[in-house]
Amino acid sequence: MKVDLSTPFGRLRLKNPIGTASGTFGYGLEFAEYLDLAALGAISVKGLSRRPCHGNPPPRICETDAGMLNAIGLQNVGVDAFLADKLPELARLGTTVIANVWGDTEEDYVAVVERIGADRRVAAIEMNVSCPNVVKGGMIFGNNPDALAGLVKRVRAATAHPLIVKLSPNVTDIVASARAAVDSGADALSLINTLVGLAIDLETRTPKIGFTTGGLSGPAIRPVALRMVWEVRKALPKIPLFGMGGIETVEHVVEFLIAGANAVQIGTANFRDPSLAGRLVKELSVWCADHGVARVSDLVGTLKTRPRPDHFFS
Amino acid sequence: MKVDLSTPFGRLRLKNPIGTASGTFGYGLEFAEYLDLAALGAISVKGLSRRPCHGNPPPRICETDAGMLNAIGLQNVGVDAFLADKLPELARLGTTVIANVWGDTEEDYVAVVERIGADRRVAAIEMNVSCPNVVKGGMIFGNNPDALAGLVKRVRAATAHPLIVKLSPNVTDIVASARAAVDSGADALSLINTLVGLAIDLETRTPKIGFTTGGLSGPAIRPVALRMVWEVRKALPKIPLFGMGGIETVEHVVEFLIAGANAVQIGTANFRDPSLAGRLVKELSVWCADHGVARVSDLVGTLKTRPRPDHFFS
Amino acid sequence: MAVNESLRVLRTTHYDEQHYSLFLSAGSIGPATRPGHFAMIQAGEGLRPYLRRAFSIADVTTVAGVPALEFVVKVVGVGTAALARFAEGTPLPVLGPLGVPFPIDDLVPTDRVALVAGGIGLAPLVILARTLAARGIAADLFYGGRNENDILKRPEFERFLGSHRCRYATDDGSLGRRGLVTDLFTHALAGGARYRRAYACGPLPMFRALARLLADAELEGSFAMESEMACGFGVCLGCVVPMADGRFATICKEGPCVAPSRVDWTRL
Amino acid sequence: MAVNESLRVLRTTHYDEQHYSLFLSAGSIGPATRPGHFAMIQAGEGLRPYLRRAFSIADVTTVAGVPALEFVVKVVGVGTAALARFAEGTPLPVLGPLGVPFPIDDLVPTDRVALVAGGIGLAPLVILARTLAARGIAADLFYGGRNENDILKRPEFERFLGSHRCRYATDDGSLGRRGLVTDLFTHALAGGARYRRAYACGPLPMFRALARLLADAELEGSFAMESEMACGFGVCLGCVVPMADGRFATICKEGPCVAPSRVDWTRL
Ligand SMILES: Cc1cc2nc3c(=O)[nH]c(=O)nc-3n(C[C@H](O)[C@H](O)[C@H](O)COP(=O)(O)OP(=O)(O)OC[C@H]3O[C@@H](n4cnc5c(N)ncnc54)[C@H](O)[C@@H]3O)c2cc1C
Ligand SMILES: Cc1cc2nc3c(=O)[nH]c(=O)nc-3n(C[C@H](O)[C@H](O)[C@H](O)COP(=O)(O)OP(=O)(O)OC[C@H]3O[C@@H](n4cnc5c(N)ncnc54)[C@H](O)[C@@H]3O)c2cc1C
Ligand SMILES: Cc1cc2nc3c(=O)[nH]c(=O)nc-3n(C[C@H](O)[C@H](O)[C@H](O)COP(=O)(O)O)c2cc1C
Ligand SMILES: Cc1cc2nc3c(=O)[nH]c(=O)nc-3n(C[C@H](O)[C@H](O)[C@H](O)COP(=O)(O)O)c2cc1C
Ligand code: FES
Ligand code: FES
């Protein structure tokens, strides 16, 4: 059975729904020896800032049960070096490139997307809004719907690229964040970013992460990610969604599609196995064939839920 | 070296900081064959309601990576049956009993604590506020600081028992929840309850949990729980805290104490090993002796953090 | 009175890629075990599987003279796969014996009973068959599977009960009669067989059909039921099934062996 | 050019409860390995450990005629404990060879170099010693540990370098001189020894002290450094150390072998 993996994603049409997540895939080129970059649906590169960023002092990572904490501090080569040194080769290889961007201020975000300008070698822009707003006293843009709306409006006005807003899961109401982003001009959403966590070294009584807290990623967070994708899909039936959070197998990919993601991004699992994302593309068409699914997009949002009972007392 | 495990906890003084978490320890008596109930710091019994509650239709649980999802639906024998059939035996065994209570309305909560009245066999009341407020259209009490404050005030007025409010972690700002509870009369806090998650059966395309979503517990959530304990301890240096979330080993216990918990509650791990909580009491004094800690309470809140750097650009 | 103890792997006997018998040292669980009891086994210290898994105690026997618990396991996922791979001597945490066993103490030697097994549901019927035989109680076995490979422990059953009392059914007809085990049972009833009680273990569809058959024939039954379990001793409330009286009952504590008449099959 | 492949466990040799050599089939990593390279090994499919672990390729050798990679491992946690327990034939995912190896191509037979090992830091120096010996380059080994159990692969080192060139130090004096390996090295320098370059691997305190010694003596060094690693090939940016030029450099990609003069030891 011939399976159609092509994935309509707003103005984009991805080769397939298997993407890779920012910060877990470098600038893509580092993976060229382990998989065929052109065979992936999309890659989201390490978060780019207007100037090169040194990131946080070590220790930056530690393993936790079924996951890891990280506080890299968004170290990156900067948008200019990316455009000059990485993008040409990515384009030559036929990679669908998503530029993940961040800043400490609204101006920083705008500056990055303006540098990218109308460059067609960048398929879309993904805003990492899990950054502290240094102007507003370090409040996380993505954890406050108003701050988020303001930021997205500014960036929306500054770019004609498809604009993907990557939501922070550290919120009471993910749907409110989603609506704020979409109402402010986001073309699509990515969810989820990492959950804020802490791990402690008992002998030194210091955090295992130099920054104190870090972002929790990996299989541990998959149920939370899947729940948020489902909630947002219910509230916004048409918005293109990238789902991510602890995806490691083709079954996990299908779980996210059924919950409502149009496509997924593989994150931490790229560290465990740099060839994984490429293999998942093949395994996905096998899974679809085995299950009589002709078009992978037919899976999206097909979760059947039961009515929720009230508490029943005797 | 003789180690003092006794744990001042507001008006209470616990034998030691090892407690067990509501819903994972039944009514305590079920564990009598696996450990000495009197040797535990405290046990929090299954959430009690004014009337017996049947709970949700199955399936109610499923395993996830390093944890599980549950939507039991708060099935319980009701506060009257608990007081009549369970509490006498618990008291006879010398158990420090915490009555975990819940309701669909403020009145329900008040009704439960009024039934408990001044019963001295109950050491404290723990409010589970992760319940939908059926009057306010199912909004979770614990996810809205105002609703939480209103609820806690009502219950505070209805009981003279030490009042512990158990916070929901599914919020943007756990400190705001903590302040709302404490400012409304809570004597202490328990954190965290479960994170809302989803898991899907691919063959049926239905949620693995009949209720659709379930509460995620187990090692997977430990970093999030530890972070929230630390945040609340920083903001409220004096408030007694029960820390919980994925605790399985004595090292995990010490991690929570260092983060700022005065005591901990063992939850899902009781299912893996019903003798665990009792063993942890012994292992904790060994750990303290090995590390020259004379009083376990000296560990509380001793985390040393480094100053957080700003983003450093070149 | 269940025990939480560490038992060593004595032997693992593989029937095919999907089925095996796991023998653990009997510990103090062995002597306390009655037919229908189950145990919760932790398949290693890792995080996958995370929770213990429930298995019927298929028999209390010996391995090279050492008292042993036998479990007959079908590989369906991570836990049952992991349990198949432990080296001899590996200690595994085991909680048991758990649950309400099959009611057999009220049987008398003149009684005749039926044992109905579907697939891996044979497990609790092995120790039951041996116990009944020892007490001189006649039992007919009705045992069905998808194919021949699903039919396990045939020599034991035929030794305990007599081969003339053992009837098999397979979906593909590779062993015994082609069709469902419930067809076998219906046929027997039609042939005039009468039973004091029918003991059964198998998949839900078999239980449903059998519950109806027994109700119609006004026969007593005892079903060893399954459900996903986190604790196995009545505290997580995760393993419930809807009962005829409107309650949800825990399979681990009020079961696993329950009279089908008490279950609300319409809500299950 | 690293390879991501599945290699089989050929043998595990235990030195004591805490130390062992793990031999894996060499795959296509073997021929590409240079002294100082490392590999990322996944210790099983479970969730604990979750990430791969980094290990120096201690040697490329053969086990019963089969080309093999040797890793010398010290048990410090869940991953190093798990790796010790795999049965012969178990396939393990391995990524390698990774990183910048020791600079040795500029050495000439008249050169004399120093190898400084602290504890488990011996690992990358085994293959280095063998390679130098094969190229006829004289090397003195300075090897320290807490006690004699920490001193591994002594026969190999003495065979490659000549026993007269191997000096040992232990904290308890159970082998060689009582004291630190850096004392040995200082002593040698005081005795007039001169080296084209010092190759070292060991714990951070040893690196700190040695970096100072080399700077004072104006000697070149190459340190095989460690850091917690998630990926091993430069994408997670988790393994960085502060450099003298103010940057954070990834140990997995710009290292593990770096000149101590490039590292900012004050911020490390
Ligand atoms: C009282 C009792 C006695 C049992 N006796 C036996 C026995 O003797 N031999 C045997 O092979 N199996 C027996 N089972 C079933 C056994 O517990 C499950 O097959 C096992 O838990 C599956 O674990 P897993 O990790 O391999 O599968 P998972 O990876 O956890 O799940 C794989 C599939 O198995 C299903 N499943 C998971 N847990 C259970 C469960 N507790 N019951 C039924 N289906 C489940 C899941 O829904 C999923 O579809 C018994 C179950 C109970 C409750
Ligand atoms: C390039 C490189 C080469 C290495 N070569 C060897 C070798 O040849 N032999 C050997 O035994 N070890 C080597 N190590 C160290 C080895 O990677 C760690 O001991 C291992 O990752 C610990 O894993 P664990 O699960 O056993 O310990 P964990 O349970 O993960 O942690 C236990 C302790 O080890 C520390 N630790 C964890 N990861 C590392 C790490 N990557 N480096 C240093 N400390 C760590 C933790 O901080 C903790 O204190 C090397 C490390 C690197 C980066
Ligand atoms: C080491 C590391 C670095 C990350 N850096 C970024 C980043 O720069 N920008 C971003 O939007 N997300 C970043 N993330 C978040 C991931 O893209 C992803 O959203 C998250 O890890 C959840 O997916 P996973 O569980 O599959 O890893 C990072 C994650 C990790 C583990
Ligand atoms: C099966 C189950 C039932 C629970 N029931 C309750 C409850 O009735 N009341 C309550 O406050 N918390 C309940 N909890 C939450 C736990 O008390 C605990 O807060 C949570 O599981 C986190 O701890 P853990 O990871 O150690 O399990 C329940 C948890 C589980 C797994
Ligand atoms: S398995 Fe926990 S109550 Fe039955
Ligand atoms: S370990 Fe990932 S960058 Fe070095």
Side-chain angles (χ1 to χ4, degrees), chain B residues 10 96 162:
Chain B
T96 303

Side-chain angles (χ1 to χ4, degrees), chain D residues 32-65:
Chain D
T33 299
R34 305 281 167 268
H37 274 143
F38 71 99
M40 296 292 289
I41 305 179
Q42 181 74 52
E45 295 124 36
L47 293 169
R48 195 184 261 164
Y50 175 61
L51 297 164
R52 294 189 187 204
R53 298 295 192 254
F55 298 96
S56 305
I57 300 174
D59 209 350
V60 181
T61 171
T62 61
V63 170

Side-chain angles (χ1 to χ4, degrees), chain A residues 235-257:
Chain A
L236 302 168
K238 301 242 159 304
I239 192 78
L241 294 181
F242 267 119
M244 70 204 72
I247 297 176
E248 289 197 303
T249 67
V250 67
E251 287 76 19
H252 299 158
V253 171
V254 175
E255 234 183 334
F256 273 82
L257 299 179

Side-chain angles (χ1 to χ4, degrees), chain B residues 23 26 30-31 33-34 54-58 60-61 63 65-68 72 75 219 248 268 271-275, chain C residues 1-2 4 42 45-46 48-53 95 228-231 233 235-238 240 246-248 253:
Chain B
E30 302 89 332
F31 283 79
E33 37 189 317
Y34 307 121
H54 286 283
N56 292 331
R60 291 176 170 186
I61 55 169
E63 179 163 316
D65 286 338
M68 64 180 283
I72 304 304
Q75 174 176 342
E248 290 195 305
T268 303
F271 301 153
R272 275 191 113 188
D273 179 1
S275 319
Chain C
M1 182 71 183
N4 185 21
Q42 182 75 50
E45 296 126 33
R48 194 185 261 164
Y50 175 61
L51 297 164
R52 295 192 186 203
R53 298 295 192 254
L95 184 68
E228 293 215 23
M229 295 187 169
C231 72
F233 56 103
V235 297
C236 76
L237 305 179
V240 300
R247 292 179 314 117
F248 290 115
K253 196 138 191 182

Side-chain angles (χ1 to χ4, degrees), chain B residues 21 41 67 93 98 103 117 126 128 169 190 223 225 238 242 250 288 296 314:
Chain B
L93 294 170
I98 297 174
E126 180 178 62
N128 173 6
S190 286
K238 302 245 158 303
F242 268 119
V250 67
C288 288
V296 73
S314 56

Side-chain angles (χ1 to χ4, degrees), chain B residues 11-23:
Chain B
R11 280 189 275 153
L12 303 174
R13 185 170 196 87
L14 308 176
K15 294 166 199 142
N16 60 66
I18 308 291
T20 56
S22 177

